[in-house]
């Protein structure tokens, strides 16, 4: 019998149920099911955009169920801008850009908290313009 390897995964700052409750509260969703639908769609879309160490580090900070939605996607070969991300997600879910932007904001607020300042900065450095605002940060653009 072989010993099963196990990940030395630190316990996330919140459980999946707590995460969904936060998304439900921040997004003002009427039901947990609606919050969960938004969470899974947004995490899957984000999983298509983040690669490398940032992907691994973020997955380690998410509750395991959220990490599975996030890492269950193959990263895209082309990164979308923040607005492109919202439009693509709206197309995939059948939502409007306005409601999808709301969903993204509700989920990204919680993801930003779980990621922490340093990791979120690394993630935003990797992504094209427009994501900082989605995560609730100012979008700083360097002068040419």
């Amino acid at each position: 019998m072989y010993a099963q390897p196990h990940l030395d995964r630190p316990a996330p700052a919140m459980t999946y149920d707590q995460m969904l409750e936060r998304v439900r509260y921040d997004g003002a969703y009427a039901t947990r099911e609606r919050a969960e639908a938004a969470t899974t769609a947004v995490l899957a879309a984000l999983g298509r955009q983040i690669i490398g160490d940032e992907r691994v580090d973020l997955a380690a900070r998410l509750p395991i169920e959220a990490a599975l939605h996030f890492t269950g996607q193959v990263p895209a070969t082309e990164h979308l801008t923040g607005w492109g991300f919202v439009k693509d997600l709206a197309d995939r879910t059948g939502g409007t850009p306005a409601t999808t932007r709301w969903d993204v904001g509700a989920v990204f607020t919680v993801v930003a908290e779980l990621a922490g300042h340093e990791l979120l900065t690394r993630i935003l450095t990797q992504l094209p313009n427009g994501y900082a605002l989605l995560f609730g940060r100012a979008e700083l653009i360097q002068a040419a």
Side-chain angles (χ1 to χ4, degrees):
M1 191 88 184
Y2 295 102
Q4 290 291 326
H6 59 81
L7 300 175
D8 291 328
R9 187 177 197 277
M14 63 179 72
T15 67
Y16 188 61
D17 287 335
Q18 290 169 329
M19 181 181 188
L20 292 179
E21 267 310 302
R22 281 286 309 283
V23 170
R24 186 167 97 59
Y25 180 80
D26 291 350
Y29 299 115
T31 65
R32 182 184 189 278
E33 290 75 23
R34 178 65 184 99
E36 187 167 21
T39 300
T40 58
V42 171
L43 287 174
L46 185 60
R48 290 189 288 275
Q49 297 300 307
I50 299 178
I51 59 172
D53 290 341
E54 290 76 17
R55 180 181 176 92
V56 173
D57 292 346
L58 180 57
R61 294 185 187 184
L62 295 172
I64 191 73
E65 299 90 341
L68 291 172
H69 293 297
F70 172 69
T71 60
Q73 301 299 309
V74 175
T77 55
E78 182 180 333
H79 288 295
L80 301 171
T81 64
W83 177 237
F85 177 85
V86 171
K87 289 188 335 187
D88 179 66
L89 184 56
D91 288 344
R92 289 174 185 267
T93 61
T96 66
T99 59
T100 302
R101 169 60 181 93
W102 183 269
D103 293 345
V104 169
V107 175
F108 276 11
T109 298
V110 179
V111 170
E113 179 184 328
L114 290 168
H117 181 76
E118 185 270 330
L119 176 56
L120 184 57
T121 299
R122 287 177 28 220
I123 289 169
L124 291 174
T125 300
Q126 180 186 113
L127 294 170
N129 290 336
Y131 283 89
L133 291 173
L134 296 174
F135 278 101
R137 282 196 179 177
E139 184 81 40
L140 302 177
I141 301 172
Q142 294 181 343

